[in-house]
Amino acid sequence: NAGVMQNPRHLVRRRGQEARLRCSPMKGHSHVYWYRQLPEEGLKFMVYLQKENIIDESGMPKERFSAEFPKEGPSILRIQQVVRGDSAAYFCASSLAGVSYNEQFFGPGTRLTVL
Amino acid sequence: DQQVKQNSPSLSVQEGRISILNCDYTNSMFDYFLWYKKYPAEGPTFLISISSIKDKNEDGRFTVFLNKSAKHLSLHIVPSQPGDSAVYFCAASASGNQFYFGTGTSLTVIP
């Protein structure tokens, strides 16, 4: 029973390139959350998705960032025209149901480094 | 605006003693709280949770206490073991769409 999978585990991009981060939730989970952890900081919520729907993207920067969770396949967090400040660990979590009284299971994270 | 705060960035405890990790929050609407443990280069793993209708929840060596009037929760680990050395995050939700996480406390259990 595989847990939450994220790939790649490490991603290096030059300024101006695009970064695509993938997340496969636990089997049976239809709720996906993306978090960002900057150095020396806690996890910051970015976006909450269910299959084919964005439920809450209040934590996501308005420009350059987008997320999707298609009917088939993994959830994708896409960062266009990356800048050095985007360097961080990006964690995906999934849950069986919504936030209320349900724990989230986290993937191992993708560490993005922007040169 | 940090709604969940962990004011101690680090804590060292002798093996066998009690570890107490603290967390404060500002939003009185929070009604569900969790503790996560994180090892380097891994994602957080769920430890224990508590809803606002309770003031204590126990699971083996881990107990979480909630003081709603003080907007404070704490995680007690007893007895502490070297394998407990990790970063601990508390998180809170207001029945909404997201959890708010603290900045973490790095626990070191000294053998």
Side-chain angles (χ1 to χ4, degrees):
Chain A
N1 187 15
V4 178
M5 310 285 284
Q6 287 187 253
N7 68 82
R9 293 293 307 273
H10 300 274
L11 182 60
V12 179
R13 284 287 178 266
R14 296 191 180 279
R15 279 179 297 170
Q17 291 184 319
E18 179 180 284
R20 278 184 183 241
L21 289 66
R22 285 175 288 277
C23 168
S24 297
M26 283 183 71
K27 188 176 180 181
H29 286 191
S30 60
H31 299 250
V32 166
Y33 312 80
W34 284 94
Y35 293 85
R36 177 165 65 175
Q37 184 180 23
L38 295 168
E40 309 301 325
E41 293 189 12
L43 294 158
K44 292 285 173 64
F45 167 81
M46 297 182 75
V47 61
Y48 164 35
L49 309 104
Q50 291 182 35
K51 284 285 188 182
E52 300 185 274
N53 286 306
I54 296 174
I55 307 301
D56 183 350
E57 55 182 350
S58 59
M60 201 143 73
K62 296 286 184 281
E63 297 178 353
R64 303 189 296 108
F65 285 72
S66 62
E68 62 177 11
F69 189 17
K71 187 177 180 181
E72 301 292 336
S75 175
I76 306 285
L77 178 67
R78 183 182 176 208
I79 312 172
Q80 295 178 287
Q81 299 173 334
V82 296
V83 301
R84 288 226 173 99
D86 296 332
S87 296
Y90 291 83
F91 292 96
C92 163
S94 73
S95 66
L96 193 57
V99 166
S100 298
Y101 307 107
N102 283 285
E103 73 237 32
Q104 297 176 2
F105 294 85
F106 281 82
T110 294
R111 272 145 191 85
L112 172 66
T113 302
V114 179
L115 302 177
Chain B
D1 178 27
Q2 191 74 22
Q3 297 193 47
V4 177
K5 298 178 184 177
Q6 293 177 256
N7 292 318
S8 298
S10 61
L11 174 69
S12 289
V13 171
Q14 206 71 34
E15 181 179 4
R17 306 294 290 269
I18 184 171
S19 296
I20 300 176
L21 296 98
N22 294 303
C23 180
D24 297 293
Y25 60 94
T26 57
N27 189 340
S28 58
M29 300 301 291
F30 285 150
D31 62 356
Y32 187 52
F33 305 86
L34 306 90
W35 283 94
Y36 282 86
K37 175 180 178 179
K38 184 181 180 304
Y39 293 117
E42 294 184 13
T45 54
F46 170 76
L47 260 183
I48 192 168
S49 64
I50 189 167
S51 73
S52 59
I53 61 173
K54 291 185 169 184
D55 55 18
K56 177 183 174 181
N57 189 25
E58 192 172 351
D59 183 3
R61 297 186 297 113
F62 302 90
T63 303
V64 56
F65 295 91
L66 176 62
N67 183 335
K68 288 186 289 293
S69 61
K71 295 192 183 70
H72 178 84
L73 70 156
S74 60
L75 174 68
H76 293 209
I77 306 172
V78 56
S80 301
Q81 299 173 355
D84 296 330
S85 297
V87 178
Y88 290 78
F89 291 96
C90 67
S93 167
S95 303
N97 295 322
Q98 59 174 287
F99 282 106
Y100 295 85
F101 280 80
T103 51
T105 296
S106 178
L107 173 67
T108 302
V109 179
I110 304 163

